[in-house]
Amino acid sequence: MKIAVIGGGAVGLTTALQIQRTLHNAEITIFASDFDNIVSNVAAGIFRVGSSYSGPTEEITRKWIEDSYSYYDSICKLSDASKAGITTISGYIFANSPSIVKNHWMEKLVPIYRNVTKEEFQLVGGNWKFGCFFTTLLTECKLYLPWILQQLKHNGAVVKKQKIDSFKELTTEYNIIMNCSGLEARNLCSDRHMVPIRGQIIKVAAPWLKTFFYGELDTYIIPGFNGVVTLGGTRNFDSENMKLCPYESAAIRTRCETLVPSLRTVENIREEVGLRPHRDGGVRVEAEFITNGCRKTTIIHNYGHGGYGVCTAPGTAQYAVQLAINAHRSSIAKL
């Protein structure tokens, strides 16, 4: 069976790896217009799934999240977890609304999820009314994606830097197409539900910070690997502006320095912009069948994760691969 995977980000590469682990004899080719300049590499990578995240049903969505956490947790327990860019991390969310610190996806999933104490409100600046502390996982995509790509190539996957403008480019050669194209699905699938949500962040060197901090949800300070800390952020709905905005940078610094005053002494390493592939109506993971001449090809869509692509890629990948297996079995049964 020949399978094409469209997409070189966290969703595409994780889906390709899941295929490789499940369908051992499949010939896999991964297509992407770029494997470096991608939104996955801008993400801070903390495993925190927002309450509004949704798939087709509550049950399926919860399974995606639980499967994703289990996947990253299993890597975190490996001896080379640091090479894979996976680690554990703990920290706080402070807010003025109780709905911000309540999270029905996370509370029973992670090892620790509790309300903060009165003393813990003194750890940060600001007059916050509510807060929670939890332990979770962190994925550094600039380490994780090369690690996963190396595994894929070692086990026979072919990687092609090529933009796919139409599924028909692939239907004559491949039995199954896994569509993990993210924001490109707007054009590839004519999906008008896809909307970019622009995000801007700052990377600083602050090796003394080992704990993450959120002020509400648009102010966040997330330590990564090698002492690099992500300061964020912005959520500009339906914006495709990839230029850095100095005013937004200044606002990010002000909010983060107010929350954690020790950041006032650190300098910027770099600033980055990414477009989150948000989909109105929820993440799309479903099968579609197209015919090119007398040849029928299965397409499994797996896109529209918004700001939770890194978090939930493993869960939606497992679900998508199972859809591919079911579709293939069904086509064999009809022959």
Side-chain angles (χ1 to χ4, degrees):
M1 184 160 52
K2 300 187 73 174
I3 300 177
V5 178
I6 305 174
V11 177
L13 296 188
T14 306
T15 298
L17 185 64
Q18 184 63 24
I19 295 167
Q20 217 171 51
R21 290 177 172 180
T22 308
L23 303 171
H24 303 293
N25 296 322
E27 296 179 27
I28 303 168
T29 305
I30 305 163
F31 295 89
S33 56
D34 203 322
F35 287 91
D36 300 310
N37 186 24
I38 52 177
V39 69
S40 297
N41 283 334
V42 181
I46 192 168
F47 196 101
R48 190 202 67 81
V49 182
S51 297
S52 63
Y53 178 81
S54 66
T57 68
E58 174 99 2
E59 182 181 2
I60 290 172
T61 306
R62 186 171 295 280
K63 182 166 174 53
W64 287 353
I65 295 169
E66 291 174 351
D67 287 349
S68 296
Y69 189 88
S70 296
Y71 169 88
Y72 286 123
D73 191 44
S74 66
I75 296 175
C76 192
K77 293 173 181 175
L78 298 176
S79 58
D80 64 344
S82 60
K83 293 181 180 178
I86 314 293
T87 189
T88 58
I89 191 169
S90 298
Y92 298 89
I93 295 178
F94 294 97
N96 288 316
S97 167
S99 63
I100 300 294
V101 299
K102 296 291 292 181
N103 189 306
H104 64 289
W105 299 130
M106 298 290 293
E107 288 175 12
K108 295 181 180 180
L109 177 65
V110 296
I112 300 171
Y113 200 106
R114 61 167 175 80
N115 293 329
V116 301
T117 64
K118 290 183 179 179
E119 291 75 19
E120 286 173 317
F121 280 108
Q122 307 307 312
L123 292 173
V124 294
N127 298 314
W128 306 105
K129 298 178 181 178
F130 304 93
C132 65
F133 173 89
F134 62 98
T135 297
T136 186
L137 298 165
L138 182 83
T139 303
E140 174 57 72
C141 276
K142 289 188 176 180
L143 295 174
Y144 170 69
L145 294 184
W147 177 80
I148 200 172
L149 200 55
Q150 184 180 29
Q151 290 187 62
L152 287 163
K153 290 179 178 178
H154 178 75
N155 292 318
V158 176
V159 176
K160 292 187 178 182
K161 192 173 182 180
Q162 176 183 337
K163 187 176 185 294
I164 302 299
D165 294 310
S166 170
F167 294 124
K168 290 184 178 180
E169 296 174 39
L170 305 174
T171 53
T172 57
E173 187 175 352
Y174 296 94
N175 308 101
I176 295 175
I177 300 170
M178 308 296 290
N179 175 28
C180 308
S181 56
L183 198 57
E184 287 297 320
R186 278 188 308 180
N187 302 318
L188 194 57
C189 305
S190 299
D191 191 337
R192 292 176 296 173
H193 297 286
M194 290 299 298
V195 181
I197 298 182
R198 180 184 178 277
Q200 182 168 320
I201 54 93
I202 302 171
K203 300 285 186 177
V204 300
W208 63 88
L209 278 179
K210 306 297 182 184
T211 303
F212 67 81
F213 295 94
Y214 279 80
E216 298 287 346
L217 292 178
D218 284 333
T219 300
Y220 51 85
I221 299 158
I222 302 175
F225 283 69
N226 302 316
V228 177
V229 177
T230 300
L231 308 184
T234 62
R235 300 174 193 271
N236 307 128
F237 188 83
D238 210 8
S239 171
E240 297 188 45
N241 181 11
M242 290 297 291
K243 293 182 179 179
L244 290 167
C245 175
Y247 303 104
E248 289 185 340
S249 295
I252 290 169
R253 288 292 309 226
T254 298
R255 285 187 276 116
C256 290
E257 290 169 9
T258 300
L259 189 65
V260 179
S262 65
L263 290 169
R264 292 170 183 162
T265 62
V266 304
E267 296 183 359
N268 294 358
I269 297 175
R270 64 182 181 275
E271 299 175 61
E272 296 177 317
V273 172
L275 302 180
R276 305 174 182 97
H278 173 76
R279 185 172 186 271
D280 289 340
V283 185
R284 185 186 185 192
V285 190
E286 62 184 23
E288 182 182 0
F289 305 94
I290 63 172
T291 302
N292 187 6
C294 61
R295 184 180 176 88
K296 186 177 181 181
T297 302
T298 300
I299 301 175
I300 306 296
H301 300 289
N302 184 12
Y303 66 84
H305 298 65
Y308 304 108
V310 178
C311 286
T312 61
T316 63
Q318 291 178 38
Y319 187 83
V321 172
Q322 190 58 53
L323 288 180
I325 292 170
N326 294 343
H328 185 63
R329 285 174 179 168
S330 177
S331 64
I332 291 174
K334 291 177 181 179
L335 291 176

